[in-house]
Amino acid sequence: MPLMSSPSEPARADAIEREFGPVLAALFDTWLARQGAMLSIKDAATGRYAYVNEAMARFLARPAAQVRGHGDAELVDPALATAWRAAEQSALAQGQPLASEHRFEWTGQRHDYAVLRLVIDAGQDGRRWLCSIWTDQAPQRQKDAQLRAALEQLEEQQRANEKLRLELADQSLRDGATGLYTRPHFEDQLKREVDLSTREHREFALVLIEIDPFTERVRELGAAAQARIFEAMGRLLRGNTRAMDASCRLDERLFGVLLSGVGLATAHARMEGLRRQCATQIVVLNGQELGFSVSMGVASFPHTAASQQELLMACEGALAEARRRGGNHLTLASIRFEN
């Protein structure tokens, strides 16, 4: 029995096109509608419209029947018609899909479209058609702008949260009564200064400050008066030190200051000024004036000590000498001399 011959490939393609062409066309129309895209088909030779979908007809402000058979020069501003025809000529010259963007004013509105142009050969009659799909970019650009704004807002919130976290971390290291750093921060900074100065062969000064025994009036007024004095002490220390220095409260009446990159002579001059300010500072509580004074010991690295422990001992010795002299006094640690 002879085998049945199968249909040729062109015949099969024609059959598939006839069977599924309407389905594909319906799917394409549905996609265009959901995208809000405009579709036009023009005679490639004349530039006249052969077909427009409803969206394109609305854009041109005419019924679809009145658009067909006309060119852009009859429907839109001459400048727009010229720009569109130039893009169409580029697509025709390339012979392959061409994507371009058009931004223009039309009917009193600003428009922003992405356009895909495709040249289609009609077949045996030799005619060519230019298919154009216009997609409005405004909604997507609006979404992009909203997304950028949301991201910027999120980043701003993250920066604010990070700033708050650092502030809270900083507050946890500060003494509530004076606003100065506490002993743990002082010890960390002292170690850092010793390491840095040793590595870079530079100097820094360490100052220990103790509030002298309170006057009889302050003792009579009790904790409220002492709190005012501690507050004043913190304010004076912050006002007489730089951001790079470390001013800390080490104990009830004991304070420490690290003067970064400062030698013994400079530290003496600056701290002597602070001592005098403390002695003349007027603190008021319930209309009563309170006074206080301080004793200070100043040492420097590496001139008065060669290690962190030696530096602390030298500074404590200088402070003890200032107290021995009756308070309200500043004493410098002795400079060591190498044998």
Side-chain angles (χ1 to χ4, degrees):
M1 178 182 295
L3 295 176
M4 294 181 62
S5 60
S6 61
S8 65
E9 290 299 326
R12 183 184 294 113
D14 290 342
I16 292 174
E17 183 175 353
R18 286 194 301 272
E19 182 175 356
F20 294 104
V23 176
L24 295 175
L27 289 173
F28 183 58
D29 288 341
T30 301
W31 178 84
L32 288 175
R34 296 197 59 170
Q35 295 295 316
M38 303 186 304
L39 171 67
S40 69
I41 300 176
K42 293 181 177 179
D43 186 315
T46 64
R48 295 183 177 278
Y49 287 96
Y51 171 81
V52 293
N53 68 351
E54 290 298 326
M56 190 72 186
R58 285 194 302 270
F59 174 76
L60 294 173
R62 288 175 174 81
Q66 294 181 16
V67 174
R68 289 191 292 270
H70 296 279
D72 290 322
E74 303 170 81
L75 302 173
V76 298
D77 296 336
L80 286 182
T82 300
W84 294 356
R85 189 57 180 169
E88 291 171 355
Q89 292 295 340
S90 297
L92 291 168
Q94 290 188 19
Q96 59 185 5
L98 177 67
S100 58
E101 293 186 354
H102 292 285
R103 296 183 178 89
F104 54 89
E105 293 282 348
W106 171 245
T107 63
Q109 294 182 354
R110 183 70 177 170
H111 296 277
D112 185 356
Y113 281 94
V115 184
L116 178 65
R117 293 181 171 90
L118 175 65
V119 180
I120 302 173
D121 292 322
Q124 296 178 353
D125 61 2
R127 298 181 68 180
R128 294 196 303 167
W129 304 99
L130 181 66
C131 178
S132 301
I133 300 175
W134 296 63
T135 306
D136 190 358
Q137 298 298 290
Q140 185 59 48
R141 295 189 190 280
Q142 183 178 11
K143 290 180 181 179
D144 292 343
Q146 292 173 343
L147 178 59
R148 285 194 299 271
L151 290 175
E152 290 174 1
Q153 184 177 5
L154 180 60
E155 290 174 357
E156 181 64 28
Q157 185 62 48
Q158 289 176 336
R159 287 192 292 270
N161 290 341
E162 179 64 13
K163 181 180 178 181
L164 179 60
R165 185 189 68 79
L166 293 175
E167 289 175 353
L168 292 175
D170 185 72
Q171 290 176 8
S172 69
L173 295 173
R174 290 186 181 272
D175 170 60
T178 63
L180 303 175
Y181 286 111
T182 54
R183 181 180 286 274
H185 181 78
F186 173 81
E187 293 173 348
D188 289 343
Q189 289 297 102
L190 178 58
K191 184 178 183 302
R192 187 188 69 85
E193 283 291 340
V194 170
D195 292 343
L196 186 63
S197 297
T198 300
R199 185 170 61 254
E200 298 186 358
H201 305 287
R202 69 173 197 171
E203 57 187 354
F204 76 95
L206 170 63
V207 186
L208 291 179
I209 305 170
E210 186 173 49
I211 297 178
D212 293 327
F214 294 122
T215 64
E216 183 178 350
R217 177 179 294 180
V218 172
R219 291 196 298 272
E220 289 175 354
L221 292 174
Q226 295 174 25
R228 287 293 178 87
I229 291 174
F230 292 143
E231 181 183 343
M233 187 67 203
R235 185 169 59 251
L236 288 171
L237 274 174
R238 291 194 301 275
N240 284 272
T241 53
R242 305 161 299 175
M244 62 193 303
D245 300 327
S247 300
C248 309
R249 186 179 185 183
L250 306 181
D251 207 341
E252 180 70 11
R253 293 187 295 117
L254 182 64
F255 300 83
V257 180
L258 295 172
L259 300 175
S260 183
V262 170
L264 197 61
T266 302
H268 174 269
R270 289 175 56 183
M271 291 299 102
E272 176 62 19
L274 174 61
R275 183 195 64 78
R276 292 177 180 177
Q277 287 185 47
C278 291
T280 57
Q281 182 76 17
I282 297 177
V283 181
V284 179
L285 176 66
N286 298 329
Q288 299 189 57
E289 295 184 359
L290 311 174
F292 70 98
S293 62
V294 297
S295 297
M296 296 183 176
V298 182
S300 73
F301 184 93
H303 300 299
T304 61
S307 68
Q308 179 174 328
Q309 188 61 33
E310 289 180 3
L311 182 65
L312 283 168
M313 292 177 61
C315 202
E316 290 170 352
L319 176 60
E321 178 62 20
R323 288 198 301 260
R324 190 187 66 78
R325 295 183 183 184
N328 193 23
H329 196 86
L330 183 152
T331 302
L332 298 178
S334 300
I335 298 177
R336 65 190 184 95
F337 294 95
E338 300 290 347
N339 294 328

